Amino acid sequence: MTTRPSLPSLVLRGSGATARFEDGSDHVRWETAASMSRIPLEAIEEVRGSGRTIELVLTTADADRLPAVYAVHDVSAAAVAAFTAAVRARLPERAPDEPRAEGEGLITTVPARTDRGPSRRTVLIVAVIAVVAAMDVTVGVRREWEFVALLLLVHIVTAAGLVMVIATGQGLYYGRRLPKHGITVMAELDHHTHNTKVYRYTDLDGVTHFYRDPLGGQRLELSYDPRRPGRAATRIPVFLQCMMALVTVLGVCFAGGGLGFTLYQFGVALTG
């Protein structure tokens, strides 16, 4: 009688998801910020490890439909290789023509635990809100509380401007820069999620990366940054570039004007 060898308990902590596979387990545990999923081994068709990315391809009852894929990105290549080998060693043996169950239907998902410590982004946001609140209170105490109501409206405009600059401005920057200074490749549709399409492309070192775009077809032309191959962008039409530039300029005006008004009122409250 042969027994499978004991395997180590492994953890892949990547960008956006963490995968865990313990010795002797019959499932892979998949954790995100919002949920924790139990993926039984019988729901996994194959495990693909490439460079710093690992993919769990689920079984599907319909051979004509793209299977669901769970992926962890930006982990060490050695960890990917070890995790891939460990899960493959535990997968059930199946004949190629054996009927498959619908893998997604075998997965159980529960909300994530909320007892984790706050992220650095959360700490930064809370710190900024605390500073702004302290400035508002100072204005209210040293001047009049009516100014505080006005400042609250200004803060909303400032926050909207910052969102416009960060989201639209960053997209415009990469959409213009990468097609000129990056490496352009054709990405293939890999799988769908509930709200977008996920494309797969390979850099010059043979490492696989993924790009999300809800509007593309089966193939998508995109350009990636040779210094950070995981950063990519599609070519943006000129009209859309103009619209994005306009939104970015408006965002700068909103954010700059709101911040300037807030600092001015705070300065008057301190010196008045």
Side-chain angles (χ1 to χ4, degrees), residues 24-66:
S25 177
D26 63 349
H27 67 278
V28 174
R29 195 167 74 183
W30 202 270
E31 302 172 358
T32 66
S35 63
M36 181 180 69
S37 299
R38 183 182 183 276
I39 307 176
L41 296 181
E42 61 183 299
I44 301 174
E45 180 69 30
E46 63 173 319
V47 184
R48 301 189 298 220
S50 176
R52 300 178 60 198
T53 296
I54 189 170
E55 300 174 325
L56 303 184
V57 183
L58 302 188
T59 58
T60 176
D62 185 356
D64 295 329
R65 186 174 66 248
L66 287 172

Side-chain angles (χ1 to χ4, degrees), residues 11-26:
V11 178
L12 290 182
R13 192 177 299 276
S15 58
T18 298
R20 302 177 186 272
F21 186 63
E22 299 182 1
D23 178 28
S25 177
D26 63 349

Side-chain angles (χ1 to χ4, degrees), residues 96-209:
D97 57 349
E98 181 180 339
R100 305 295 200 261
E102 197 63 45
E104 288 188 283
L106 302 176
I107 297 175
T108 56
T109 302
V110 297
R113 296 175 58 183
T114 58
D115 56 354
R116 296 179 179 178
S119 64
R120 284 182 291 183
R121 177 180 297 180
T122 301
V123 172
L124 177 61
I125 293 175
V126 172
V128 171
I129 293 176
V131 171
V132 171
M135 294 172 66
D136 291 350
V137 171
T138 302
V139 171
V141 171
R142 297 183 63 89
R143 300 190 69 189
E144 295 181 4
W145 287 103
E146 286 79 2
F147 284 103
V148 177
L150 177 61
L151 285 175
L152 291 177
L153 295 177
V154 171
H155 297 335
I156 295 175
V157 174
T158 304
L162 289 174
V163 171
M164 293 164 65
V165 172
I166 294 173
T168 308
Q170 180 176 269
L172 177 62
Y173 173 76
Y174 291 129
R176 286 184 55 83
R177 180 181 181 278
L178 292 182
K180 296 179 180 180
H181 303 286
I183 298 175
T184 301
V185 296
M186 293 301 298
E188 301 287 342
L189 179 63
D190 187 81
H191 63 279
H192 299 261
T193 67
H194 67 284
N195 60 358
T196 190
K197 298 176 182 177
V198 181
Y199 293 84
R200 180 180 67 253
Y201 65 96
T202 304
D203 62 27
L204 295 180
D205 295 324
V207 179
T208 301
H209 304 276

Side-chain angles (χ1 to χ4, degrees), residues 164-165 168-169 172 243-255:
M164 293 164 65
V165 172
T168 308
L172 177 62
M243 297 303 296
M244 294 174 69
L246 177 60
V247 172
T248 303
V249 171
L250 288 176
V252 171
C253 294
F254 289 165

